[in-house]
Amino acid sequence: YIGVRYAVVMSGDSTERAVSEGAGVAVLVLFTVLVTASVGINVLFLDDDSGGIQANFTFEYREDGGFLTVTHSAGDDLNGSKLYFEGPDANATWTELAGRNNSVTVSHGDIVRLSDGNAYGQRIAPEDTIEVVYVADGNQTVLSTWSGVGGIGG
């Protein structure tokens, strides 16, 4: 037996067996090491990625000007040329709206305006629905939606 000693105690008519204190401590230490190792492996090697792009946008509509201001408010940094605004009669990328080159990165705090005076080319009506869509590798992900003045954006 590997480091385990049994003590046999004879008391009267019965026999009792006991494990040495050292063996108990060894088992507890081994158990602690195994639990710590399994937690460490999960933290180091398992990816907790939800598998997709995540970003939040806020919207501010001005009916008198017929425009919608969109702000990247939280989440992943995004390639502006892959970030589209799709409305009922028009669409445009972030880079087109911002008048920037296709390599621009959109990050927290960046702002663009959708209106008839820029690449979007249409006035925004109070009943319009505008989707913020990220397109990469043939996949489209709707990141946020403005559902008009009376609607709920997401």
Side-chain angles (χ1 to χ4, degrees):
Y1 303 109
I2 303 173
V4 177
R5 285 188 257 153
Y6 291 98
V8 178
V9 177
M10 303 290 282
S11 63
D13 293 350
S14 67
T15 304
E16 295 179 21
R17 291 186 177 195
V19 177
S20 71
E21 186 177 322
V25 169
V27 168
L28 288 175
V29 168
L30 179 63
F31 182 72
T32 303
V33 168
L34 288 174
V35 169
T36 304
S38 66
V39 169
I41 287 171
N42 285 331
V43 169
L44 292 174
F45 297 112
L46 294 181
D47 189 11
D48 191 29
D49 186 13
S50 64
I53 298 293
Q54 295 182 8
N56 294 341
F57 296 87
T58 56
F59 304 93
E60 183 181 340
Y61 177 67
R62 292 289 307 259
E63 189 168 2
D64 59 341
F67 64 83
L68 182 68
T69 302
V70 182
T71 304
H72 182 290
S73 57
D76 297 330
D77 290 348
L78 306 168
N79 180 325
S81 66
K82 296 180 180 182
L83 189 59
Y84 287 81
F85 295 92
E86 296 183 356
D89 298 319
N91 65 51
T93 66
W94 186 287
T95 54
E96 291 169 340
L97 295 169
R100 308 278 306 273
N101 66 39
N102 285 341
S103 65
V104 70
T105 298
V106 179
S107 57
H108 181 265
D110 288 346
I111 298 171
V112 292
R113 180 177 289 173
L114 283 72
S115 71
D116 59 354
N118 62 15
Y120 189 74
Q122 298 287 322
R123 279 181 68 86
I124 306 296
E127 67 276 0
D128 285 351
T129 297
I130 307 293
E131 290 184 332
V132 181
V133 180
Y134 193 74
V135 179
D137 301 324
N139 296 319
Q140 292 188 358
T141 304
V142 177
L143 299 175
S144 194
T145 302
W146 181 72
S147 300
V149 174
I152 299 173

